[in-house]
């Protein structure tokens, strides 16, 4: 069914059930008042091509992710609250609402300063220019409630993905990863940005495979403790064939992992002003990778601050480093490959 082609406004004051697939034209302004809603019946879908006026309240009922789509020329942003009321933030499962917003056809998704509990969150393949924006005053949290699994995953290629001002937490200490991409090199994760993203409680913070030209700026990665096996704050590359190119990391705070930053197969990587604290090992740079490292701060590192097997340039460490078993050293550096460093005090250097 299609509603008219002349300019007009349709006001929905109460619950209305679809009796067929519905497409609204660009000439129709759809207004849904508080207390009004569109209810799904059977397998019907809704496509909105014109202006859409609602407040921050639920207006869609019973729809699955992808059942409701918008024309991006008609509206600029969507809110998950349109699909579901977040009755008890942190407890109410908002998984369907989150997926519905992501698959709505609108690239800019706005999140309130609230807790969005979920059991799954996957960005579909071939999703480009998606922008997940949390509240600039803080408080936007994606809370993964299961004990296994990942906070947010990517099903395939995702160009120009952005996330900012969002925390991803795992109160049940998931054995998974906060943000996980495992794209093949033939289908990379290109031109991504994570700004002021906080990850805590997962075994691994951010794991990026198949990446090309990305930025991690600010934010904090907090793990399950530096004695927990396989824990890592930021991991670049899955293995020798699932790596990436050109990743910049600015001012991250990484703590309570076995390894702070592990560069397996990504080059070049430029890290500036990192704070690496309460870790087993600070940074591992794998074979063949070019790492540019500026002004790192190491504190409470158990074994090695930097373990380099690739190419390392420009280290100027700052801050007092205090190891769990060795309290006298200021910087502990181990390399088995080329390293060009500028350090003002180097008390321990191991060249195998």
């Amino acid at each position: 069914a299609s509603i008219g082609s002349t300019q007009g406004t349709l006001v929905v004051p109460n619950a209305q059930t679809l009796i067929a697939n519905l497409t609204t034209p660009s000439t129709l302004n759809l207004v849904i008042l508080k207390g009004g809603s569109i209810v799904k019946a059977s397998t019907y879908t809704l496509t909105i091509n014109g202006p859409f006026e609602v407040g921050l309240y639920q207006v869609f009922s019973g729809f699955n992710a992808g059942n409701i789509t918008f024309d991006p020329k008609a509206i600029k942003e969507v809110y998950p609250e349109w699909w579901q009321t977040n009755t008890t933030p942190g407890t109410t499962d908002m998984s369907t609402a989150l997926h519905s917003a992501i698959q709505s056809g609108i690239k800019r998704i706005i999140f309130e300063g609230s807790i969005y509990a979920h059991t799954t969150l996957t960005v579909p393949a071939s999703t480009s220019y998606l922008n997940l924006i949390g509240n600039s005053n803080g408080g936007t949290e994606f809370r993964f409630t299961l004990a296994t699994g990942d906070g947010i995953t990517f099903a395939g290629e995702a160009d120009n993905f952005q996330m900012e001002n969002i925390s991803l937490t795992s109160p049940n200490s998931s054995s998974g990863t906060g943000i996980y991409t495992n794209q093949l090199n033939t289908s990379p994760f290109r031109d991504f940005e994570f700004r002021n993203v906080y990850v805590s409680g997962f075994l691994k913070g951010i794991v990026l495979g198949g990446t090309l030209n990305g930025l991690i700026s600010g934010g904090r990665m907090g793990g399950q403790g530096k004695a927990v096996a396989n824990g890592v704050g930021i991991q670049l590359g899955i293995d020798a064939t699932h790596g990436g190119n050109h990743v910049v990391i600015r001012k991250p705070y990484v703590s309570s992992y076995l390894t702070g930053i592990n560069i397996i197969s990504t080059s070049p990587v430029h890290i500036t002003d990192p704070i690496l604290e309460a870790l087993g090992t600070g940074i591992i740079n794998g074979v063949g990778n070019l790492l540019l490292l500026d002004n790192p701060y190491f504190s409470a590192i158990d074994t090695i601050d930097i373990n380099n097997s690739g190419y390392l340039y420009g280290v100027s460490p700052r801050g007092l480093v205090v190891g769990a078993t060795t309290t006298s050293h200021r910087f502990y550096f181990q390399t088995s490959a080329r390293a060009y460093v500028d350090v003002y005090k180097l008390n321990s250097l191991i060249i195998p």
Side-chain angles (χ1 to χ4, degrees):
S2 180
I3 298 179
S5 57
T6 58
Q7 198 75 34
T9 297
L10 175 64
V11 179
V12 180
N14 49 32
Q16 299 292 319
T17 302
L18 289 183
I19 59 173
N21 292 330
L22 176 63
T23 298
T24 68
S26 60
T27 53
L28 182 72
N29 181 27
L30 179 59
V31 180
I32 305 180
L33 304 180
K34 190 169 186 178
S37 64
I38 299 176
V39 181
K40 179 181 178 178
S42 185
T43 59
Y44 300 137
T45 61
L46 174 62
T47 302
I48 300 173
N49 290 325
F52 184 66
E53 297 183 27
V54 298
L56 193 64
Y57 45 79
Q58 184 176 354
V59 294
F60 304 125
S61 179
F63 291 91
N64 297 323
N67 287 166
I68 299 174
T69 55
F70 297 85
D71 184 338
K73 297 189 294 295
I75 67 171
K76 295 181 178 179
E77 57 199 31
V78 297
Y79 297 78
E81 285 82 1
W82 292 351
W83 282 267
Q84 183 178 352
T85 300
N86 195 359
T87 306
T88 306
T91 300
T92 301
D93 187 356
M94 296 290 288
S95 300
T96 299
L98 295 174
H99 282 109
S100 296
I102 288 173
Q103 296 181 43
S104 67
I106 302 303
K107 303 302 184 180
R108 181 180 171 90
I109 304 174
I110 306 298
F111 299 91
E112 292 297 292
S114 186
I115 303 173
Y116 297 84
H118 67 101
T119 58
T120 176
L121 184 55
T122 300
V123 177
S126 301
T127 301
S128 299
Y129 294 96
L130 187 65
N131 194 347
L132 308 184
I133 304 175
N135 192 299
S136 60
N137 293 322
T140 302
E141 177 184 336
F142 292 174
R143 179 174 294 178
F144 184 71
T145 57
L146 302 181
T148 59
D150 305 311
I152 180 170
T153 59
F154 295 79
E157 182 176 343
D159 292 348
N160 296 281
F161 176 85
Q162 297 183 37
M163 175 185 288
E164 56 184 291
N165 301 327
I166 294 176
S167 298
L168 296 95
T169 65
S170 174
N172 293 317
S173 300
S174 172
S175 58
T177 300
I179 300 172
Y180 181 60
T181 74
N182 187 18
Q183 273 65 278
L184 299 176
N185 291 335
T186 56
S187 181
F189 185 59
R190 290 183 286 238
D191 300 311
F192 64 88
E193 293 186 8
F194 297 104
R195 296 181 180 273
N196 298 322
V197 172
Y198 295 77
V199 182
S200 66
F202 292 90
L203 179 64
K204 296 184 178 182
I206 298 177
V207 175
L208 303 177
T211 56
L212 179 61
N213 193 30
L215 171 67
I216 300 173
S217 181
R220 177 171 181 168
M221 314 296 138
Q224 299 174 0
K226 57 184 175 180
V228 177
N230 301 316
V232 60
I234 300 173
Q235 178 178 313
L236 303 180
I238 307 300
D239 51 36
T241 59
H242 295 81
N245 299 103
H246 195 252
V247 174
V248 176
I249 303 175
R250 298 174 182 162
K251 296 184 177 181
Y253 181 88
V254 184
S255 65
S256 299
Y257 294 98
L258 180 66
T259 303
I261 300 175
N262 187 5
I263 306 168
I264 295 176
S265 55
T266 299
S267 183
V269 177
H270 190 182
I271 304 175
T272 59
D273 298 302
I275 296 177
L276 300 148
E277 187 173 37
L279 304 165
T281 297
I283 298 174
I284 298 176
N285 186 36
V287 175
N289 300 317
L290 170 60
L291 170 60
L292 308 174
L293 179 62
D294 296 327
N295 206 29
Y297 177 97
F298 298 93
S299 178
I301 309 297
D302 276 1
T303 55
I304 300 172
D305 299 315
I306 301 175
N307 189 346
N308 177 57
S309 299
Y311 302 91
L312 175 63
Y313 292 83
V315 179
S316 295
R318 60 189 170 93
L320 178 63
V321 175
V322 180
T325 57
T326 305
T327 59
S328 60
H329 80 283
R330 195 172 179 84
F331 183 58
Y332 195 133
F333 175 61
Q334 177 171 308
T335 185
S336 59
R338 297 180 182 179
Y340 301 87
V341 300
D342 176 18
V343 297
Y344 57 85
K345 189 172 184 181
L346 186 61
N347 287 344
S348 183
L349 174 63
I350 300 175
I351 304 178

